Amino acid sequence: MLSNLCDTLGMTAGGLRARVRAEMTEEIKATARRHLATDGANLSLRAVARDMGMVSSALYRYFASRDDLLTALILDGYNALGAAAEAGDATVADRADLRGRWLATCHAVRTWALGTPAEYALLFGSPVPDYRAPQDTVAAASRTPTTLIRILKDGFDAGVITEPPADGVPADVRTDMARLRDRAVPDLPEVLLARGSMGWIQLFGAVSFELFGQLDNVVEAREAYFGYQMGQVATAIGIPE
Amino acid sequence: MLSNLCDTLGMTAGGLRARVRAEMTEEIKATARRHLATDGANLSLRAVARDMGMVSSALYRYFASRDDLLTALILDGYNALGAAAEAGDATVADRADLRGRWLATCHAVRTWALGTPAEYALLFGSPVPDYRAPQDTVAAASRTPTTLIRILKDGFDAGVITEPPADGVPADVRTDMARLRDRAVPDLPEVLLARGSMGWIQLFGAVSFELFGQLDNVVEAREAYFGYQMGQVATAIGIPE
DNA sequence: TCAGGGAAAGAGCAGTGCTCTCTAAGTAGA
DNA sequence: TCTACTTAGAGAGCACTGCTCTTTCCCTGA
């Protein structure tokens, strides 16, 4: 996207100008991320500019609008979360330990969310009014669920996870799952993918519930509750003990 | 809260003045709700006032701040959602049809959310920065989950739903669940409540996922997918077919 | 009838996103 | 090396925001 912008502005890639421009863009995003932590989604362009010792209008040389800046942050956020999930999965040395991998990935997602709640809210919270996420984000957004599904795939390939009976999976849902499967993880039964996607939703729900304050005055043992949930989900999906 | 305000302003309850004041308050909330639908959480006090043919400062006679107005809307929202859930549960004539009641309640929640997405986002979306939900809301907020848990309670009392084995429910989670149980549904095993709360979280996750756009370009058969999920959850909790 | 108090208006403050114009500075080509 | 061009940034300005303060109007209870 950045190189795209450079092209439209007629800059030669690799030039010194382009490099300082890229550094500047990164610095703006970094300060914006910092403001995001305190001000939430309604961060102020002017405040970001002030923090960098420049005037607000100067930011418009780098981001066409506030929404554009948010989009860049969202994209970075999806990638950061995806990387965290992948790293979590990778911590389990025994690749055949499916449950361990599942739980490690889930906990990694939660840890990332707790560490950067504002960014998580930006990704998964209430959408900003009249803001449409560009298509670029879908690839980055699918990194985390793909990490989860890949665990199922490994288990299925190894014959440890078996295809559950297609009890009551509606036909059109199977169609959706089949399309999704072909796009991301070929050769995985739709029914298994349907259960896997449910697990992803439960993970998202659990993290959002905790982060958005719905657990306040209700559940104190947050991490234990989370771990218990994810274990139950793993069992429901068919990941052996 | 309103009567509280009236008291502090020294108004006699039941007076004419108090009545027009209450009507005015309702009208403000109604217009605010209308604006909420288009502008999301960042609705404008001035716009609301303009819509009512008055000046912005006049609104401050009724709500001390924008946050106060939002709080009132949140409270109303929780109650509206709770009422919808209860009504959904009540549509099932055969009270012994636990699965039917569970699904009806879930679908009622989803329908309410799809009908008033902005209000749902206000309740369950990313929290507004430096806004603290007052204690008043917790009672209203618990109406919906209580409706769900009551179904489990009915099933447990009837001996249709049995207490699941406490396999791997951490001790501190049991403590949380016990406290929650004593507060809302006495005589329900903690383990069952733990599973029930998971169902509530999955319901919330599914609705939020759909409403916040995470299902875009992924799942088309929204209602079928939702119904499938809630059926699976019911089974996982132990609600018989 | 009349004082007290609540409702509304209006000006004003500090802040916002965004646009426009203008200047300074760097870059490439002859 | 000089020139034509592009870019970064500054600053003013527009329309908007939440909120406060003061002033005016009018209803109400005694």
Side-chain angles (χ1 to χ4, degrees), chain B residues 48-65:
Chain B
V48 170
R50 212 180 302 129
D51 228 40
M52 298 181 61
M54 54 198 307
V55 101
S56 73
S57 56
L59 286 192
Y60 286 83
R61 293 261 159 207
Y62 299 91
F63 295 95
S65 69

Side-chain angles (χ1 to χ4, degrees), chain B residues 69-150:
Chain B
L69 175 55
L70 281 182
T71 300
L73 292 179
I74 288 176
L75 201 73
D76 284 8
Y78 274 127
N79 277 313
L81 175 60
E86 290 164 10
D89 177 36
T91 55
V92 180
D94 178 11
R95 304 307 289 163
D97 178 14
L98 300 175
R99 183 170 287 261
R101 289 173 61 191
W102 175 270
L103 291 176
T105 307
C106 290
H107 274 100
V109 168
R110 175 172 175 269
T111 303
W112 185 86
L114 290 180
T116 54
E119 287 183 71
Y120 179 87
L122 195 60
L123 302 182
F124 297 103
S126 12
V128 189
D130 48 68
Y131 166 82
R132 198 86 213 115
Q135 199 67 17
D136 312 2
T137 60
V138 299
S142 63
R143 262 177 87 172
T144 303
T146 299
T147 306
L148 289 169
I149 300 299
R150 205 147 36 202

